[in-house]
Amino acid sequence: MSEVTTQIKTEEELQEMIAETESGARNPTGSFPKKVLFGVPLIWTIFQLWYASPLPFIFNFFVINDTEARAIHLAFAVFLAFTAFPTFKKSPKNYIPIQDWAMGLAGAFCAGYLYLFYNELSSRPGLPTQMDLIVSVCGLILLLEATRRALGPPLMIVALIFISYTFGGQYMPDVIAHQSASLSKGMSHYWLGTEGVFGVALGVSTGMVFMFVLFGALLEAGGAGNYFIRTAFAALGHLKGGPAKAAVVSSGLTGLVSGSSIANVVTTGTFTIPLMKKVGFKAEKAGAIEVACSTNGQLMPPVMGAAAFLMVEYVGITYIEVIKHAFLPAIISYVALVYIVHLEACKMGLKGMEKTITKTAAQRLMSFVLSFLTMIILAGGTYYGLGWIKGVAGDATIYVVSVLLLIAYLFLLWVACRVPELEQTTEINELPHLGKTAQAGYYFLLPVVVLMWCLTVERLSPALSAFWATVLMIFILLTQRPLKGIFRKGQGKEFSFKSGIMDLIDGSVAGARNMIGIGVATSAAGIIVGTVTLTGIGLVMTEFVEFISGGSLMLILLFTAIISLILGMGLPTTANYIVVSTLMAPVIVNLAAQNGLIVPLIAAHLFVFYFGILADDTPPVGLAAFAAAGISGGDPIKTGIQGFIYDIRTAILPFMFIFNTKLLMIGVDHWYQLVIVIVSAVLAMLSFAAGTQGYFLVKCRVWETVMLLLIALILFRPGIVWDKIFPPLLEEPATQIVEYVGDMDPGSSLRMTVAGEKMNGKKFKKTLMLTIGDEATGAERLGAVGIETREEGGKIYIDNVVFGSVAEKSGIDFDQEILHLQVPSHRLPPELMYFPAVGLYILLYVIQSRRRKKEEEAELEAAA
């Protein structure tokens, strides 16, 4: 009895931790406050569904622009931040004090001011009235307080520092001093325009993030979370350390639609951690594995802790491209974590859960082949079949596809009803049957199929794609219970239409309440972005980082990683990404160019994002580690340290894809190149994981660990050795630029090193890359990218730069000297280094195999 009570208490404490950090810890007893905290999030969800849908344009009713939508979005978030979150931890949670009502309403009014007086404000840009200034100052203060309540003091403090810098620039040290902004200019920038609080970050939260968070909440309300967890256990639970491997996979699946590592820990950890302890993992290691899985869940597209949508705006590429670049690192990171769990299980001699049904090797192979072929047939049928329907049906495609989806849903639900309903308990005493478990929830994949179809084939916006996927999920929530009652011939509350409506409402409210923190985080982070654009601190940061790093790219990357980790200890992932990417991503790109390395902007943004995520399990603040320790009963600091050790493989990845952008699928033109990149990256990550764990087939000796790390380095970046022997680029004189460009293939890149002088008189040198078009002559091609050149004394100078051209955006300016061209050399591919690396892999495998055999023989002799 006491054990049960303790477990219930622990679960309640964990749910309270989620509430405190994400959706609000208040649970008022009064009827009216309870209705407000239930009704306002529901209304917020309805507004977001309306805004994301095509309905406003169909009915020509309540059509609002992006700025007005951001104001309404923030008004909801601020009001709920004051009413759902207590002032302090010891403040009352069973009722809402009068001052919180007042601040909540005042904050909502200040946030909604741009919507209420949009026409008046647009007629006087930069000329605020006294009322405008009062509302702006009050709004900024209330936003900072809402941020403190919802997210804790760190982001509020960072925002205050940047505001102080804006208004006190003349009092700053000379290296960062600037002319201070007036109150009128500052408030116009921060609150009355779209450069500060109501900027890009809040726009992403309003237009995209809410729909994906809502989609995830509705999936969870429908039972998809439980389905993912149990299917992962059924597939992997019988392996060595099976529950831990299942934790990795289920956390990855949950992370597909979850934007929170803490919620992921609690959702999957209540299942996985007790089972990991049951098969022999220590409390700290069980918690650390769950922490590592859950924090890495934010690496997984399509949501990526909301950062994927921010990258679309900040990097200027499509959402599909963000997913393409982020996908491979996320997958190999999870593959490595499964392998680390396997190594831990091997070191401890652990076994998996006992299988209820055993199959021969031939039966297992046949099942795998059939499952693989079925997936290929279904994927091909969906892609090409729906594509064919679109070509034949034209405008009627939506109706044909809707009918097909309905048929597929009814069939899959009927199939699900042929097996028992999945249990909802957090305890798994025996290994579930894989076939029956998977069969019970295939229909949950239909909304995900719709989402990916809309994104990749129809090329709809992320918000509209999530809207149509959510519409299907709403239909499933409303109908699955009554239809199951028909198919199962059952009656009762669990099969009623009313229960489906309550699932929908609860999921809608949960989705909105999960957005409170993201809403205020993105708006508060807009203060930092606004400060950068208002004061020019970004240029100062470049010079400062260049100074302290001595121009060394590796030191710049280490410095950026440390800043991301430190800020991430107190900031949520989304806010951390906004702050650090705004300040540091351009610095990485610019200073890399001065070192002769072309770093794509998306690589710099992903670098910052990865280290921001790692902060969730970095002691002493890692909240995910505290949540996991609450379930495991282990020490939270030790759990965090162990989790960070497991996540070292994630920390090495950003350094690798900065120097080898093929890991981000940049420069991969053919399918065989993609296969080589994937295989080499997976082998490299497995080698690195084994090296850092000190265990391959048996415990590694020191030289074997060094060999494993060397293999990983060569496989990740084959050019590190090859480039020293065969330089990838040769320097050609700049006087040949016109002839050289004229002979280039259209679409190829011109690399050149330019030198010039900054505004402060400091000289610089950097390497640039420009994509060349298909114009007839070299001079025309240079003109198309925006530059004209002149020759003086045997040197080539930039004579003219077209405003808004590619050349101007890349930093080329008048009178800069083109020092030389960088021409690709004709050499054998660096991938040849894979052969000696794989050879070392095989050699090490043979050596450790023989040693393991001897150890096993010795154990048998000792036992005899």
Side-chain angles (χ1 to χ4, degrees):
M1 181 69 184
S2 59
E3 291 181 4
V4 175
T5 307
T6 304
Q7 179 66 23
I8 293 172
K9 184 179 179 182
T10 303
E11 289 178 13
E12 288 176 352
E13 288 173 351
L14 290 167
Q15 293 302 327
E16 187 176 339
M17 178 180 285
I18 294 182
E20 286 179 356
T21 55
E22 291 179 7
S23 57
R26 274 215 179 104
N27 187 20
T29 54
S31 174
F32 179 72
K34 194 179 283 290
K35 288 178 180 177
V36 169
L37 290 183
F38 185 83
V40 173
L42 184 60
I43 296 169
W44 190 8
T45 295
I46 294 169
F47 161 72
Q48 294 286 165
L49 284 168
W50 175 266
Y51 173 64
S53 75
L55 295 177
F57 303 99
I58 294 173
F59 296 106
N60 196 28
F61 173 74
F62 196 46
V63 179
I64 56 176
N65 61 36
D66 291 345
T67 305
E68 292 173 311
R70 293 173 192 180
I72 297 172
H73 180 86
L74 183 57
F76 276 112
V78 171
F79 176 78
L80 288 171
F82 280 106
T83 52
F85 290 87
T87 310
F88 302 105
K89 285 188 177 180
K90 294 183 179 180
S91 298
K93 297 179 182 179
N94 58 348
Y95 70 94
I96 303 174
I98 187 68
Q99 66 270 19
D100 286 357
W101 285 110
M103 287 191 288
L105 291 170
F109 171 77
C110 294
Y113 190 73
L114 265 72
Y115 169 72
L116 297 171
F117 301 98
Y118 183 79
N119 292 329
E120 291 86 340
L121 289 168
S122 60
S123 66
R124 54 173 190 268
L127 297 171
T129 64
Q130 186 177 14
M131 181 63 177
D132 294 342
L133 293 176
I134 292 171
V135 168
S136 300
V137 172
C138 292
L140 211 56
I141 293 170
L142 290 170
L143 173 62
L144 291 172
E145 169 58 14
T147 303
R148 185 195 65 80
R149 291 190 182 208
L151 305 167
L155 181 55
M156 180 198 71
I157 293 169
V158 171
L160 278 172
I161 291 170
F162 277 83
I163 292 172
S164 302
Y165 178 72
T166 298
F167 294 111
Q170 73 269 32
Y171 306 112
M172 298 292 162
D174 290 342
V175 68
I176 60 170
H178 70 98
Q179 186 177 357
S180 302
S182 65
L183 181 65
S184 176
K185 184 178 180 181
M187 289 303 110
S188 295
H189 197 81
Y190 281 136
W191 199 266
L192 302 175
T194 55
E195 293 291 328
V197 170
F198 297 94
V200 170
L202 184 59
V204 168
S205 176
T206 306
M208 301 183 205
V209 179
F210 192 103
M211 290 309 303
F212 277 85
V213 171
L214 175 63
F215 178 59
L218 293 180
L219 271 172
E220 183 65 34
N226 183 48
Y227 170 69
F228 289 152
I229 293 168
R230 289 184 178 274
T231 304
F233 266 100
L236 301 170
H238 65 284
L239 302 174
K240 285 185 178 180
K245 292 174 181 173
V248 177
V249 175
S250 58
S251 291
L253 291 170
T254 307
L256 288 172
V257 291
S258 170
S260 165
S261 54
I262 300 168
N264 203 340
V265 165
V266 176
T267 302
T268 60
T270 49
F271 286 85
T272 60
I273 292 175
L275 282 169
M276 281 189 266
K277 290 175 67 180
K278 202 172 190 178
V279 297
F281 282 96
K282 292 181 180 178
E284 284 78 15
K285 287 198 173 183
I289 289 168
E290 182 57 50
V291 168
C293 311
S294 298
T295 51
N296 278 206
Q298 294 188 72
L299 302 178
M300 288 295 292
V303 178
M304 295 168 60
F309 313 111
L310 290 162
M311 287 179 195
V312 171
E313 301 296 332
Y314 288 162
V315 182
I317 59 178
T318 65
Y319 179 67
I320 297 300
E321 287 178 300
V322 170
I323 290 177
K324 182 184 82 171
H325 297 318
F327 183 73
L328 182 56
I331 289 296
I332 63 176
S333 181
Y334 263 104
V335 169
L337 187 53
V338 171
Y339 185 57
I340 286 173
V341 166
H342 175 74
L343 294 177
E344 288 282 13
C346 289
K347 283 192 279 186
M348 292 186 280
L350 304 181
K351 295 182 180 179
M353 298 178 72
E354 190 173 340
K355 296 183 74 171
T356 53
I357 299 175
T358 56
K359 292 183 180 180
T360 63
Q363 287 175 324
R364 289 199 297 271
L365 180 62
M366 182 61 69
S367 297
F368 174 77
V369 171
L370 288 175
S371 301
F372 189 68
L373 288 175
T374 303
M375 287 176 64
I376 292 176
I377 293 168
L378 287 174
T382 302
Y383 186 88
Y384 293 105
L386 290 179
W388 175 80
I389 291 171
K390 188 178 180 182
V392 173
D395 293 338
T397 302
I398 183 67
Y399 304 107
V400 176
V401 171
S402 297
V403 171
L404 290 175
L405 275 173
L406 178 62
I407 293 170
Y409 169 57
L410 292 173
F411 172 73
L412 291 175
L413 198 62
W414 176 79
V415 167
C417 291
R418 311 301 294 174
V419 296
E421 196 75 21
L422 295 179
E423 295 180 10
Q424 297 295 322
T425 60
T426 59
E427 191 172 337
I428 302 176
N429 293 316
E430 63 179 31
L431 190 69
H433 185 276
L434 177 57
K436 292 179 180 179
T437 305
Q439 186 178 332
Y442 282 136
Y443 63 94
F444 285 127
L445 301 178
L446 288 175
V448 180
V449 169
V450 169
L451 175 65
M452 300 315 297
W453 169 262
C454 291
L455 284 170
T456 58
V457 180
E458 296 294 338
R459 297 283 176 168
L460 300 180
S461 68
L464 194 56
S465 300
F467 169 77
W468 288 118
T470 302
V471 167
L472 179 56
M473 194 61 226
I474 289 172
F475 178 76
I476 290 173
L477 277 170
L478 291 174
T479 58
Q480 66 172 341
R481 288 177 180 271
L483 288 173
K484 281 183 178 179
I486 295 171
F487 291 140
R488 292 186 185 278
K489 297 180 181 178
Q491 293 180 344
K493 185 180 178 182
E494 67 271 21
F495 298 121
S496 68
F497 182 70
K498 184 179 178 181
S499 295
I501 293 176
M502 291 310 300
D503 288 341
L504 172 59
I505 293 173
D506 290 342
S508 300
V509 171
R513 291 190 66 155
N514 288 341
M515 276 300 299
I516 300 172
I518 296 175
V520 295
T522 50
S523 53
I527 295 172
I528 289 93
V529 178
T531 301
V532 172
T533 56
L534 183 61
T535 64
I537 184 65
L539 296 174
V540 176
M541 279 296 295
T542 303
E543 295 181 359
F544 177 68
V545 173
E546 183 181 10
F547 171 74
I548 65 170
S549 66
S552 167
L553 180 60
M554 187 56 70
L555 287 177
I556 292 163
L557 294 174
L558 286 170
F559 182 69
T560 304
I562 291 167
I563 287 177
S564 302
L565 281 173
I566 292 171
L567 286 175
M569 288 183 193
L571 270 59
T573 305
T574 310
N576 185 26
Y577 166 70
I578 295 169
V579 173
V580 186
S581 65
T582 303
L583 291 173
M584 299 304 298
V587 175
I588 293 173
V589 173
N590 292 335
L591 296 185
Q594 293 182 26
N595 282 263
L597 180 68
I598 304 297
V599 175
L601 189 56
I602 182 65
H605 277 258
L606 283 170
F607 182 92
V608 167
F609 175 60
Y610 265 55
F611 280 100
I613 285 174
L614 287 176
D616 271 351
D617 61 7
T618 305
V621 184
L623 294 177
F626 278 86
I631 302 172
S632 69
D635 181 87
I637 301 297
K638 289 181 180 177
T639 301
I641 293 171
Q642 185 67 55
F644 188 76
I645 291 171
Y646 290 146
D647 268 340
I648 288 176
R649 81 208 183 287
T650 307
I652 199 69
L653 265 176
F655 288 95
M656 292 299 105
F657 60 60
I658 286 288
F659 294 100
N660 180 11
T661 53
K662 286 185 178 180
L663 291 171
L664 303 178
M665 295 194 226
I666 297 173
V668 178
D669 302 317
H670 304 285
W671 67 268
Y672 59 83
Q673 288 181 316
L674 178 61
V675 171
I676 292 171
V677 169
I678 292 173
V679 172
S680 63
V682 170
L683 287 175
M685 187 54 84
L686 297 182
S687 179
F688 184 80
T692 53
Q693 292 299 307
Y695 194 97
F696 184 35
L697 300 180
V698 292
K699 187 177 180 180
C700 292
R701 291 166 179 162
V702 174
W703 66 269
E704 290 173 329
T705 298
V706 172
M707 187 183 288
L708 283 167
L709 296 176
L710 178 63
I711 291 169
L713 182 60
I714 293 173
L715 290 174
F716 268 132
R717 195 188 172 201
I720 196 167
V721 176
W722 202 253
D723 292 351
K724 297 290 187 294
I725 306 170
F726 307 103
L729 300 167
L730 301 175
E731 292 183 358
E732 296 290 342
T735 51
Q736 300 178 11
I737 185 170
V738 176
E739 293 79 7
Y740 176 69
V741 171
D743 293 336
M744 291 176 66
D745 294 327
S748 56
S749 297
L750 169 66
R751 293 176 64 114
M752 59 186 188
T753 304
V754 300
E757 198 172 279
K758 298 179 182 179
M759 296 292 289
N760 59 6
K762 187 178 179 181
K763 293 183 179 181
F764 70 88
K765 183 173 68 173
K766 63 180 177 180
T767 303
L768 303 168
M769 188 163 61
L770 303 172
T771 303
I772 298 301
D774 57 358
E775 289 75 18
T777 66
E780 289 174 351
R781 290 181 174 185
L782 287 173
V785 298
I787 58 176
E788 295 176 8
T789 60
R790 71 177 189 274
E791 185 174 352
E792 288 182 7
K795 296 181 178 180
I796 301 298
Y797 293 91
I798 303 294
D799 194 44
N800 185 37
V801 181
V802 178
F803 179 75
S805 64
V806 174
E808 191 218 19
K809 291 177 181 176
S810 65
I812 295 177
D813 206 347
F814 301 99
D815 291 331
Q816 289 178 354
E817 181 188 354
I818 303 177
L819 297 176
H820 51 255
L821 310 177
Q822 292 188 350
V823 180
S825 62
H826 297 287
R827 63 172 188 163
L828 293 171
E831 285 75 15
L832 288 174
M833 287 298 301
Y834 291 157
F835 288 103
V838 172
L840 287 174
Y841 228 142
I842 294 170
L843 175 63
L844 192 60
Y845 180 85
V846 172
I847 292 171
Q848 290 215 353
S849 291
R850 290 175 178 174
R851 196 156 81 241
R852 182 174 65 177
K853 188 176 181 180
K854 288 181 181 179
E855 289 178 1
E856 288 174 351
E857 289 173 353
E859 287 177 6
L860 289 173
E861 288 178 7

